[in-house]
Amino acid sequence: MHRDDPSDAAAASPFQPLPAELDFPSMERRILDFWAEHQTFERLRAKNAAGPRWSFIDGPITANNPMGVHHAWGRTYKDVYQRYRAMRGYHQRYQNGFDCQGLWLEVEVEKELGFESKRDIEDFGLEAFADACRERVDTYAAVQTAQSVRLGQWMDWDDSYYTHADGNIEHIWQFLRRCHQRGWIEAAQRAMPWCARCGTALSQHELIDTYEEITHDALYVRLPIHGRPNAWLLIWTTTPWTLAANVAAAVDPDLTYAEVEVDGQRYVLAEATVSEALGNDARIVGRVQGADMLGWTYEGPFDHLPGAAGVEHRVIPWDDVGADEGTGIVHIAPGAGEEDFRLGQELGLPVLVPIDENGVYVDGYDWLSGRDAREVAADVIADLERRGLLLRAHRYEHRYPHCWRCQEELVFRVDDEWFIRADEIRQPMLDAAAAVRWTPDYAGARMADWLRNMGDWNISRRRYWGLPLPFYPCQACGHLTVIGSKRHLEERAVSGLEQLRELHRPWIDQVVIRCEGCEAPVRRVEAVGDAWLDAGIVPFSTLGYLEGSQEFHRWYPADFITEMREQIRLWFYSMLFMSVTLENRAPYRSVFVYEKLNDETGRAMHKSWGNAIDFGEAAERMGADVMRWLYAGQNPLYNINFGYGPATDVKRRMLTLWNVYSFFVTYARLDGFDPTAPRIPVEQRADLDRWALSRLQGLIDTMTEAMEESLVHRGVRAAHRFIEDLSNWYVRRGRRRYWKSSADADKQAAYQTLHELLTTLVRLLAPVMPFWTEDIYQNLVRGADPNAPASVHLTDWPTADNSLRDEELEASMDIARVVVAAGHQARNEAGLKLRQPLRSAYVSGIEPEEIERLCSFKAHICDELNVKDMLNVKEAGFTSDIDFFETRAKLNFRRVGPRLGRLSRLVAAELAKNTEQHERIWSQFMNDREYKYVLHLDWEKVELEFDDFVFEAVPRSREYAVASRDRVTVAVRTEIDDALRREGLAREIIHATQNLRRSAGLDVSDRIRLWIDGGSALTSTLADHGAEIIDEVLAVSLNDGSPPSQAAETAPTLDGEPVRIRLVRA
RNA sequence: GGGCUCUUAGCUCAGUCGGUUAGAGCGCGCCUCUGAUAAGGGCGAGGUCCGUGGUUCGAAUCCACGAGGGCCCA
């Protein structure tokens, strides 16, 4: 340590000292204030206003609850890429979006108001309900905005779009009108998965992931076969309520059915199911093929009720009947089952729909009427039993779908629904999707698969707070009028316009229009639209498409969008559908898809499982930058495991950078380093500097490429490696350059280089870690140069300077580090403490040119390994008889393989047999590179040249500690003579004294008076190394007079010598 | 039943153009270094690269089949 009195320099330094600890949350709050105060975001937008455009569309977040940490993942991607584009000068929209209507909202508002059914909503009043929905949107849009700001996301928050806005609705109307003009809109009866609580059908994409294991009552029911006394069809069902809708019984024509007699009654069922259904005692008295049963008729289970009367129940064929469970005879209720309905359509079966939209039996079903279908199982069982139709009932566990919003069990129900026919647009959508760049690319395949399989789009929901479908079917002429805009509505309206507050129920329902077919007055259908219409229209509605705005053509299609993978079949799909319909092309050029967020053990997060992490709490505990780094570093192919454990990991890595930063600031202050001083030309700087700057250029390229390809995690990983190198090699190797007392050019070069490395690094990391990089930038750049851009986010993205690239230097440094690692290993294995200097280290196994280049790092290697000299084997005069390693020759398969083919194995084996020759082969090549080694096999000879070999050294130690890694072998001479021993002792003393200084609470730059006593070894050590010790520990005197009684003291045993060290501040 | 995808150390994951000794981080144990360091370095334990077959001089890597997980469709 050599330090001059630093106090004046530090006081004048432009760099502020660092706090003791890196505290992300408090630093981030400070930076948020800073940005607000300086209007940094506004200045960024102004700066780029004339730049090229980069168009991004924000997928709307449902403004329904506070945002979760999974939203924060996606928002981090959005912010990272927008910030990167901003640093490259792109003009952007920065428009955030909220999803504001649909079933999501309604269900939450219902919960809030304590409602249990649609009737509660009707009683409450649609107007009041709409107001409540609106209010919830306002509340949570504000909450989510504040949270996003906290995350560091930069958006034009005052310009957010809302999908419940009239403008958004009008654009959807326009889309629907275009669909209608092409003949794609139709109302049709379909069996739909139905939520009785929500009172509406669900579409196919809402059914996914909703199956849960559940126990139901399963029934064996016997039904009398017409014309065959005492003969019964035995059917099995797990949904007793659907028996009232039975119209047929399906059998597999290829299956063999058994007639079984029990208690004088004959049952027909599939032979394979007999013992399961009737027990092992059942006696088979006859057999019949399924095909022969077709045309039988039977009496239905509820034929006596008016609602089910008058239906002829037949036995019908169906290939999908299985004998795995049940009886091989399937109860068919086309009005209450999806497959049943399809089968019924094919065969022209009647459709009985016994329940209304709330799941309640309609009139005509006697005691069932008015009762909830989900609650009648026990009574149906009792009723059947009383009427002698029940054979037995049992509990049955199976997977059954639930409503994804309210968790109620779903039923299937036939109803009139509105659809957009998909067949005509399928191919154009496939074509449009094929032109999109999907990242990762499997997402494109997924979309194509979805499109090939998509059914007609069910767009109607029997709800309230949603897009009002602009469908006006005319009772008089049958024409369907589809309104395409508010103006269109005004043109056709005959009444109700005056009360039209907004395009929502109940107001819109009051507007009556003239039919476009016959001018008769027509009312709107009551249904509202699928919420994916709301989100899908956003590329148009937010750009004034309907008004023919210029903005639309400037920003459409989007350059980039990103959301979770599930959005392929949701938002990406609905946008694509609408955009292909309106403009015949995809609304986005590239799409980035990421996976799911789980807790840190890999389990899904659920509030009820107690493993969900609140965003606000996470931001305050780990910090937004740490979260962002964690998200950005994730490989998007895999689910992310998010939690405080992984965050601690990230923070530890950040600490590495913090240490480098802190090191720089500490010494730059002491030395009064001025970053605005003239730069020392790079070619005049130390190899270490040139190496680090070269590495930096590589990092710039890697980061840039990662950002351009939307694979930021690659950049994050490269940055991580760079930070490791910066700390564990550049600073570790270079730290003495900052300590020396003279202010020479090398010291200046060291400061300049580290300053450049840090300030460039923070620009590269600014998109990922906007807060901390700003903090560092303000201190390292703005503090010293008021003319620099006011924020790191107002600087330009770094570009690599190829003149600073030196790949040879990087390669050599890599080898030097391998040599150091091998040397450490050798010393360690021999039990030689690093503090003990040794005479020499020998390096072998690498090419002569590499050795040569390595010699320029000799000082680093010697210092790291604490040896006096590093020699390569050749210059040390060793030849083939050296005794600490031997050379092995192996085949270079990469070269030899293609040439020799099958023979290469034999050659390799032959070579391995004669290891004693390897040394000779090596020296032949060393003497003459053109030498050809000829290997004689039994039947032919093979000629091998230098490049056909790989040479490596194998340790064979004696007086040397030897270790090999990669192809490098390092041997350290283990002999310790007296001079080395004294030097080792001196270093022990320095180390002990430094520890004593620290424990005595001295400052790094304090001077001391020092006293050391001990035996004769110590005396001779002080004679040889006293000056060095004085120098290192900043002593002004050694053993001068007697120490005061308050002197700090330590008395260790060093290298077997008892030593006493005392010191006081000078 | 069909499609997409994944499977590498106890955990989380790298592994480029196929090249013969498969790596990192975390965790664990031992050692070590340290006046930037809640750090760093070394060693150790820990691998059927999911399995089988094929292509190839050579397979974690390419192909086929199979198993298991995830997702999607039916």
Side-chain angles (χ1 to χ4, degrees):
Chain A
M1 292 285 307
H2 312 256
R3 296 249 62 96
D4 295 324
D5 184 1
S7 51
D8 293 344
S13 172
F15 308 120
Q16 298 304 307
L18 269 44
E21 211 184 329
L22 174 58
D23 175 359
F24 277 100
S26 70
M27 176 269 294
E28 287 163 358
R29 285 190 295 267
R30 203 173 67 239
I31 298 295
L32 284 172
D33 290 342
F34 172 88
W35 287 338
E37 187 189 334
H38 293 87
Q39 306 235 306
T40 313
F41 179 49
E42 289 72 14
R43 291 176 66 175
L44 175 67
R45 299 191 68 186
K47 178 187 167 211
N48 290 337
R53 286 184 170 72
W54 192 71
S55 177
F56 169 78
I57 306 177
D58 181 43
I61 178 172
T62 307
N64 202 14
N65 280 301
M67 78 183 208
V69 286
H70 61 287
H71 291 116
W73 186 12
R75 300 201 144 216
T76 295
Y77 283 131
K78 293 172 181 181
D79 196 51
V80 164
Y81 294 121
Q82 288 189 114
R83 283 178 183 271
Y84 164 72
R85 291 291 161 180
M87 289 178 80
R88 302 217 66 161
Y90 284 89
H91 178 36
Q92 297 174 65
R93 296 176 62 203
Y94 294 110
Q95 189 179 37
N96 171 77
F98 293 109
D99 212 357
C100 307
Q101 54 189 20
L103 199 49
W104 292 269
L105 246 307
E106 291 196 39
V107 169
E108 288 297 320
V109 171
E110 281 184 84
K111 271 195 227 163
E112 197 179 298
L113 297 173
F115 292 173
E116 283 177 359
S117 72
K118 283 166 73 173
R119 180 154 310 165
D120 293 333
I121 298 173
E122 307 254 355
D123 293 345
F124 187 66
L126 293 198
E127 188 166 341
F129 188 68
D131 286 338
C133 289
R134 218 169 234 291
E135 206 172 297
R136 188 171 180 94
V137 166
D138 290 345
T139 302
Y140 286 102
V143 168
Q144 291 173 344
T145 298
Q147 290 179 310
S148 304
V149 168
R150 178 64 188 84
L151 180 66
Q153 200 181 3
W154 270 358
M155 283 291 208
D156 187 355
W157 300 109
D158 295 333
D159 185 40
S160 292
Y161 68 81
Y162 295 79
T163 60
H164 65 331
D166 280 1
N168 207 62
I169 289 169
E170 279 190 277
H171 276 82
I172 301 169
W173 282 6
Q174 178 67 209
F175 159 77
L176 291 171
R177 184 166 168 83
R178 300 265 188 102
C179 288
H180 182 48
Q181 283 162 355
R182 299 188 190 192
W184 294 348
I185 301 287
E186 67 171 359
Q189 212 182 34
R190 305 262 172 117
M192 304 291 300
W194 195 279
C195 177
R197 199 215 62 86
C198 296
T200 187
L202 281 73
S203 72
Q204 59 183 146
H205 39 238
E206 289 170 314
L207 203 58
I208 288 156
D209 287 341
T210 63
Y211 282 80
E212 282 170 34
E213 203 74 28
I214 193 172
T215 304
H216 277 133
D217 288 309
L219 279 56
Y220 285 96
V221 178
R222 58 180 198 179
L223 300 170
I225 303 169
H226 288 143
R228 299 176 128 218
N230 297 329
W232 310 80
L233 280 182
L234 196 60
I235 62 165
W236 182 79
T237 181
T238 58
T239 49
W241 75 266
T242 63
L243 285 169
N246 178 278
V247 300
V251 298
D252 180 351
D254 297 330
L255 209 58
T256 302
Y257 289 79
E259 292 182 37
V260 180
E261 199 166 289
V262 180
D263 299 333
Q265 305 295 315
R266 283 201 168 197
Y267 297 102
V268 178
L269 68 165
E271 184 171 3
T273 66
V274 169
S275 61
E276 171 74 26
L278 298 172
N280 291 325
D281 301 338
R283 197 160 55 86
I284 297 178
V285 295
R287 287 185 174 77
V288 58
Q289 276 305 114
D292 296 330
M293 295 164 64
L294 302 179
W296 291 3
T297 58
Y298 64 93
E299 190 177 325
F302 288 94
D303 282 0
H304 60 295
L305 303 183
V311 172
E312 186 190 50
H313 299 271
R314 288 190 290 136
V315 174
I316 57 166
W318 190 28
D319 291 340
D320 285 352
V321 171
D324 296 341
E325 49 186 17
T327 63
I329 302 176
V330 179
H331 144 63
I332 299 293
E338 205 176 12
E339 291 172 317
D340 309 43
F341 181 77
R342 220 176 301 136
L343 190 63
Q345 292 293 98
E346 278 172 36
L347 300 177
L349 302 179
V351 178
L352 300 180
V353 184
I355 58 172
D356 68 11
E357 62 179 39
N358 295 316
V360 172
Y361 281 93
V362 297
D363 289 344
Y365 287 87
D366 190 36
W367 62 275
L368 284 167
S369 295
R371 295 196 52 187
D372 190 320
R374 292 165 296 165
E375 290 164 2
V376 297
D379 293 335
V380 168
I381 291 169
D383 181 58
L384 292 173
E385 184 151 36
R386 192 169 41 74
R387 295 193 284 121
L389 296 180
L390 183 77
L391 192 71
R392 68 184 169 93
H394 62 104
R395 301 294 284 169
Y396 180 73
E397 199 174 298
H398 61 156
R399 286 168 58 76
Y400 195 81
H402 290 69
C403 175
W404 63 281
R405 280 312 329 177
C406 70
Q407 306 308 319
E408 279 293 320
E409 286 176 35
L410 297 179
V411 296
F412 283 84
R413 180 173 180 275
V414 168
D415 193 37
D416 290 325
E417 298 286 339
W418 291 91
F419 292 87
I420 306 176
R421 264 204 285 269
D423 278 335
E424 261 179 49
I425 202 173
R426 190 185 314 275
Q427 194 54 48
M429 281 177 79
L430 279 163
D431 295 342
V436 173
R437 199 180 113 214
W438 300 88
T439 309
D441 49 17
Y442 78 83
R446 199 40 97 65
M447 176 59 97
D449 186 53
W450 169 259
L451 292 175
R452 277 191 294 268
N453 290 303
M454 72 173 166
D456 294 342
W457 185 359
N458 169 222
I459 54 169
S460 54
R461 302 288 182 276
R462 296 180 174 262
R463 297 293 309 190
Y464 308 99
W465 177 248
L467 163 87
L469 291 176
F471 298 160
Y472 294 79
C474 179
Q475 306 291 334
C477 74
H479 180 84
L480 174 67
T481 301
V482 175
I483 293 294
S485 67
K486 206 187 257 184
R487 186 195 291 176
H488 188 202
L489 181 75
E490 286 160 4
E491 282 166 14
R492 307 246 24 120
V494 292
S495 68
L497 269 186
E498 70 291 343
Q499 57 80 53
L500 186 63
R501 186 181 99 177
E502 60 190 78
L503 300 183
H504 278 107
R505 301 183 69 186
W507 305 282
I508 187 71
D509 296 344
Q510 304 305 314
V511 179
V512 179
I513 67 160
R514 288 172 289 118
C515 171
E516 281 185 338
C518 68
E519 302 292 319
V522 205
R523 285 188 170 274
R524 197 184 72 85
V525 301
E526 280 197 344
V528 298
D530 179 4
W532 293 107
L533 290 166
D534 300 330
I537 201 64
V538 156
F540 297 90
S541 58
T542 61
L543 291 170
Y545 178 73
L546 207 50
E547 298 88 56
S549 162
Q550 280 304 307
E551 285 298 282
F552 176 75
H553 297 287
R554 292 198 183 106
W555 297 103
Y556 173 96
D559 290 299
F560 181 73
I561 59 171
T562 171
E563 302 292 335
M564 256 187 212
R565 187 184 56 188
E566 62 194 14
Q567 297 298 337
I568 290 171
R569 56 168 217 277
L570 301 171
W571 188 52
F572 300 161
Y573 161 75
S574 67
M575 271 198 293
L576 186 66
F577 198 119
M578 296 171 107
S579 184
V580 170
T581 301
L582 295 173
E583 289 289 308
N584 199 30
R585 62 160 305 164
Y588 35 74
R589 290 197 174 95
S590 70
V591 178
F592 174 80
V593 178
Y594 54 95
E595 295 291 307
K596 288 173 68 173
L597 183 141
N598 292 326
D599 75 7
E600 60 187 81
T601 66
R603 280 199 320 161
M605 277 193 193
H606 284 295
K607 273 181 201 153
S608 57
W609 294 355
N611 65 343
I613 295 180
D614 176 72
F615 170 80
E617 186 193 307
E620 289 316 306
R621 267 179 67 183
M622 63 176 74
D625 270 353
V626 170
M627 261 165 111
R628 294 172 63 115
W629 187 266
L630 193 55
Y631 292 138
Q634 174 68 22
N635 182 341
L637 269 178
Y638 299 98
N639 293 341
I640 189 169
N641 293 350
F642 182 85
Y644 293 106
T648 307
D649 233 50
V650 170
K651 175 127 190 235
R652 190 175 298 154
R653 289 170 184 194
M654 294 302 107
L655 218 50
T656 306
L657 180 55
W658 167 263
N659 290 331
V660 174
Y661 172 45
S662 161
F663 173 86
F664 174 83
V665 170
T666 304
Y667 289 98
R669 280 171 54 80
L670 291 176
D671 274 325
F673 168 65
D674 175 9
T676 60
R679 294 182 70 227
I680 294 179
V682 171
E683 57 275 15
Q684 289 171 26
R685 300 191 196 182
D687 52 6
L688 207 52
D689 296 332
R690 284 183 288 110
W691 169 77
L693 289 169
S694 179
R695 281 277 286 114
L696 180 68
Q697 308 315 307
L699 179 66
I700 293 171
D701 277 348
T702 306
M703 291 283 310
T704 305
E705 199 178 308
M707 290 296 192
E708 289 291 332
E709 291 181 8
S710 316
L711 293 171
V712 61
H713 69 288
R714 292 191 184 161
V716 166
R717 283 171 191 189
H720 176 232
R721 286 190 295 273
F722 181 81
I723 290 167
E724 293 281 311
D725 280 355
L726 191 59
S727 169
N728 296 327
W729 193 252
Y730 180 75
V731 173
R732 181 172 115 205
R733 284 308 332 134
R735 45 152 73 111
R736 282 186 176 266
R737 302 167 70 199
Y738 305 85
W739 293 345
K740 57 192 170 188
S741 55
S742 59
D744 63 5
D746 180 65
K747 186 180 194 175
Q748 184 71 2
Y751 277 118
Q752 286 186 348
T753 304
L754 187 50
H755 188 260
E756 284 161 23
L757 294 172
L758 284 171
T759 55
T760 307
L761 184 62
V762 294
R763 278 156 63 205
L764 290 172
L765 298 184
V768 176
M769 286 201 305
F771 295 103
W772 194 29
T773 53
E774 181 77 287
D775 194 43
I776 297 176
Y777 177 87
Q778 291 302 326
N779 196 16
L780 294 189
V781 179
R782 271 293 270 187
D785 179 6
N787 296 320
S791 159
V792 70
H793 304 292
L794 294 170
T795 64
D796 292 337
W797 183 256
T799 45
D801 177 351
N802 283 326
S803 71
L804 298 180
R805 290 301 265 281
D806 187 341
E807 276 166 27
E808 267 192 13
L809 179 65
E810 286 192 47
S812 304
M813 193 65 90
D814 284 345
I815 294 175
R817 295 181 71 177
V818 171
V819 169
V820 166
H824 278 144
Q825 182 182 342
R827 290 192 62 126
N828 252 301
E829 284 173 354
L832 297 162
K833 296 174 85 171
L834 199 49
R835 218 175 281 141
Q836 174 61 57
L838 296 173
R839 191 58 64 195
S840 49
Y842 300 92
V843 179
S844 181
I846 54 180
E847 309 290 324
E849 316 85 76
E850 289 176 322
I851 295 249
E852 202 140 311
R853 277 188 273 139
L854 200 56
C855 286
S856 63
F857 304 122
K858 200 185 236 179
H860 291 305
I861 294 169
C862 290
D863 197 37
E864 279 285 322
L865 295 181
N866 198 13
V867 295
K868 295 293 159 200
D869 200 3
M870 180 203 86
L871 304 122
N872 74 63
V873 171
K874 222 175 171 186
E875 73 181 339
F878 289 101
T879 52
S880 57
D881 59 349
I882 50 169
D883 61 357
F884 54 79
F885 67 83
E886 56 189 313
T887 302
R888 282 284 161 77
K890 294 173 95 175
L891 271 193
N892 180 0
F893 281 95
R894 191 170 225 153
R895 257 183 78 95
V896 170
R899 193 172 83 230
L900 296 184
R902 197 171 294 276
L903 223 51
S904 42
R905 270 184 161 176
L906 296 172
V907 173
E910 193 62 26
L911 205 57
K913 254 195 286 179
N914 303 310
T915 49
E916 69 279 0
Q917 288 186 27
H918 294 189
E919 208 61 58
R920 199 175 53 78
I921 298 171
W922 167 250
S923 37
Q924 291 278 15
F925 279 121
M926 288 304 96
N927 290 331
D928 173 17
R929 233 2 131 65
E930 300 307 311
Y931 169 74
K932 301 276 189 291
Y933 177 71
V934 181
L935 190 73
H936 292 277
L937 297 169
D938 289 346
W939 56 93
E940 59 189 303
K941 62 173 195 175
V942 173
E943 235 182 39
L944 299 168
E945 53 194 54
F946 181 71
D947 287 340
D948 293 335
F949 289 96
V950 176
F951 293 100
E952 56 188 36
V954 179
R956 185 174 62 187
S957 81
R958 203 172 293 169
E959 290 166 26
Y960 299 88
V962 181
S964 269
R965 59 173 55 206
D966 295 346
R967 47 194 225 290
V968 178
T969 297
V970 175
V972 181
R973 194 164 177 196
T974 55
E975 185 198 2
I976 301 168
D977 59 28
D978 286 346
L980 288 173
R981 187 169 301 280
R982 284 196 293 276
E983 199 181 333
L985 184 55
R987 288 194 58 168
E988 295 279 7
I989 289 167
I990 291 167
H991 178 64
T993 308
Q994 300 286 33
N995 282 343
L996 185 59
R997 281 182 59 114
R998 199 175 352 184
S999 62
L1002 270 64
D1003 196 75
V1004 183
S1005 53
D1006 284 339
R1007 306 294 152 134
I1008 57 169
R1009 298 171 65 203
L1010 180 65
W1011 293 268
I1012 309 175
D1013 10 58
S1016 61
L1018 179 79
T1019 311
S1020 51
T1021 298
L1022 289 184
D1024 283 3
H1025 300 286
E1028 186 190 337
I1029 295 172
I1030 286 172
D1031 211 26
E1032 283 288 326
V1033 302
L1034 298 185
V1036 295
S1037 69
L1038 175 60
N1039 292 344
D1040 179 16
S1042 51
S1045 56
Q1046 80 276 17
E1049 175 173 343
T1050 182
T1053 300
L1054 303 175
D1055 196 22
E1057 297 279 329
V1059 177
R1060 187 167 173 220
I1061 304 172
R1062 284 168 292 179
L1063 60 83
V1064 293
R1065 188 179 285 129

